[in-house]
Amino acid sequence: MTIGGFRTPRATCLLAPNPSPMTLEGTNTWVIAEPGSSSAVVVDPGPDDEDHLRRVLAEAVASDRRVASILLTHGHLDHSAGAGRLAQLSGAQIRAADPAGRLGAEGFADGDVITAAGCEIRVVATPGHSADSVSLLLAADGALFTGDTVLGRGTTVIAQDGNLGDYLRSLEQLRELAEAAALRLLLPGHGPVLADPIGILDYYLAHRAERLDQVRAALAAGARTPAEIVAMIYTDVDRSVWPAAEWSVRAQLDYLAGL
């Protein structure tokens, strides 16, 4: 399905023009507002692309709304590079878990509830893909914005500033949340919407366990470097993303070394 233009009762996706093997169709920028609200919230403005940012602004200020806040799920540039320009265009502040990504005094941390645009958005710390990753719960829509913690297609790379142990704990936490909050949708930072949150999170956890078993088997078979392990076990993945897969393998080796 095409993600650009996808809508829930309170959230609208605008697809950034930055497709790649790592970003899939591009970055999903989300505009959130309760119907009839006088303001809107923007999640992950995406790259510093003027046309995209002006489309986001036009959506956010439709019906005489203003932009109340810009929220970042994490600081990777495909999600955050346009935030400063959007802040200039809209006058809104930027809130993020990492102080380096903020514009203004307010950040957020795990468990915080952001009340804006007529909505309540709960912050769920989900480190692992990156140290500063968060997911955002919009309970009124039964929806969770997952950033890069869960993708709409494929699985997540553990980036150089990530940690596999943290990531596995984050997935377990989201699995519990999916059940407790009766989640209906995962709204990712890349790729299509996911309509089976529990099933997807179960798959992610099983996939990670399988990859760890494959790394153990590759080591037993004589592989020594991340590149050698990737060549043995990532045969189902496009070679263009093998360099990024090496980041995940390094994270897996670090995790196994700590057991």
Side-chain angles (χ1 to χ4, degrees):
M1 64 174 289
T2 300
I3 183 66
F6 177 88
R7 294 176 184 269
T8 73
R10 295 166 182 82
T12 299
C13 180
L14 290 94
L15 179 64
N18 61 334
S20 75
M22 292 295 292
T23 59
L24 305 180
E25 293 86 353
T27 300
N28 297 333
T29 297
W30 295 96
V31 176
I32 304 170
E34 181 73 24
S37 174
S38 62
S39 62
V41 168
V42 176
V43 176
D44 287 353
D48 190 5
D49 180 277
E50 189 74 9
D51 288 345
H52 172 65
L53 296 172
R54 288 189 177 276
R55 283 192 295 116
V56 171
L57 181 65
E59 174 67 31
V61 302
S63 304
D64 294 322
R65 295 185 304 215
R66 63 179 179 83
V67 181
S69 192
I70 299 165
L71 310 180
L72 300 181
T73 62
H74 63 300
H76 289 168
L77 293 178
D78 56 317
H79 294 255
S80 68
R85 177 58 177 153
L86 185 61
Q88 286 181 339
L89 292 170
S90 66
Q93 296 192 340
I94 304 168
R95 299 183 65 175
D98 183 354
R102 300 172 188 168
L103 178 64
E106 285 192 288
F108 50 61
D110 185 47
D112 285 354
V113 176
I114 298 165
T115 303
C119 299
E120 287 191 347
I121 302 167
R122 180 157 70 89
V123 178
V124 184
T126 49
H129 166 71
S130 66
D132 65 332
S133 285
V134 302
S135 297
L136 301 168
L137 175 65
L138 182 61
D141 277 356
L144 184 76
F145 301 89
T146 58
D148 283 357
T149 299
V150 178
L151 302 179
R153 188 174 67 255
T155 54
T156 300
V157 167
I158 306 302
Q160 290 169 303
D161 57 337
N163 177 278
L164 181 57
D166 288 344
Y167 186 65
L168 293 174
R169 286 186 287 273
S170 292
L171 291 179
E172 293 280 7
Q173 179 184 10
L174 291 185
R175 175 61 176 79
E176 293 173 6
L177 177 65
E179 205 162 80
L183 288 182
R184 297 188 297 275
L185 295 172
L186 300 180
L187 306 180
H190 305 282
V193 168
L194 299 166
D196 179 18
I198 289 175
I200 292 295
L201 289 161
D202 283 344
Y203 166 74
Y204 260 58
L205 286 162
H207 173 77
R208 287 294 162 183
E210 180 184 11
R211 283 292 192 222
L212 285 169
D213 286 343
Q214 290 173 334
V215 170
R216 291 185 184 98
L219 292 171
R224 289 294 172 262
T225 68
E228 290 172 350
I229 294 171
V230 167
M232 290 180 70
I233 71 173
Y234 282 81
T235 55
D236 58 333
V237 173
D238 191 299
R239 290 180 69 101
S240 65
V241 299
W242 278 17
E246 288 190 34
W247 302 344
S248 285
V249 167
R250 291 189 180 96
Q252 290 161 341
L253 292 171
D254 289 344
Y255 176 78
L256 293 171
L259 293 179

